[in-house]
Amino acid sequence: MELSKLLSELLQTYAGPGLTLISFGAATLLPFSSEAALMGAIWSGLSPGEAVFWASIGNCAACAFNYSLGYWFGKKIEDRISESKTYAGWAERMSRWGYWALGFSFLPFVGDPITVLSGFFRQKFWIFALVVFSLRILRYTALAYGFGL
């Protein structure tokens, strides 16, 4: 079955919870857009507030999942790569600018890898969650209400 058809059926059959699953998948480095799913859910009859709520749950949960993956893999491979100059450079940059990088975590294509790197470099989760979740929810709110819906 074609991916777009599958996603459409998921939205039609399960509405909000379906949007949560789609938003989760879209934020875990899979190649589809949670923004398109949000708009599709609204155009299919879900209220903008409900759509923002359900999409935010899935997307924020996926960001926490990405952070966890980075944290877990970071512990597993850090010993192997810690002598690398490349790793040392990235570790220094992340310690200096890592929290500022979270400001770009809501952007398509670069945002999801940033959430993984945040876990890899063990940024404080409460700061991560505050910044990343807020930006993701604001993005959905602007999209849902910014087009006069």
Side-chain angles (χ1 to χ4, degrees), residues 3-20:
L3 181 61
S4 63
K5 190 178 234 182
L6 175 68
L7 297 177
S8 178
E9 287 182 20
L10 193 60
L11 275 177
Q12 290 175 357
T13 305
Y14 299 106
L19 181 56
T20 297

Side-chain angles (χ1 to χ4, degrees), residues 58-71:
N59 204 268
C60 293
C63 289
F65 177 77
N66 290 344
Y67 177 95
S68 299
L69 283 177
Y71 192 89

Side-chain angles (χ1 to χ4, degrees), residues 14 29-30 34 46-47 52 54 58 82 111 124 135 137 145:
Y14 299 106
L29 304 173
L30 296 177
S34 63
L46 203 60
S47 76
V52 167
W54 289 107
S82 63
K124 292 179 182 170
L135 289 172
I137 293 167
Y145 292 100

Side-chain angles (χ1 to χ4, degrees), residues 36-100:
L38 175 83
M39 297 310 294
I42 292 169
W43 292 328
S44 295
L46 203 60
S47 76
E50 288 178 296
V52 167
F53 173 79
W54 289 107
S56 296
I57 289 174
N59 204 268
C60 293
C63 289
F65 177 77
N66 290 344
Y67 177 95
S68 299
L69 283 177
Y71 192 89
W72 185 76
F73 280 115
K75 284 185 163 189
K76 300 284 184 200
I77 65 173
E78 187 173 31
D79 290 337
R80 294 182 198 152
I81 64 173
S82 63
E83 301 299 319
S84 162
K85 289 182 183 181
T86 302
Y87 172 79
W90 274 104
E92 192 274 325
R93 282 184 203 99
M94 285 300 287
S95 69
R96 182 182 302 157
W97 301 106
Y99 289 112
W100 289 103

Side-chain angles (χ1 to χ4, degrees), residues 60-69 71 99 102 115 118-119 121-133:
C60 293
C63 289
F65 177 77
N66 290 344
Y67 177 95
S68 299
L69 283 177
Y71 192 89
Y99 289 112
L102 292 176
T115 62
S118 294
F121 287 106
R122 294 175 191 81
Q123 291 182 323
K124 292 179 182 170
F125 184 76
W126 73 269
I127 296 173
F128 168 86
L130 181 67
V131 173
V132 173
F133 296 178

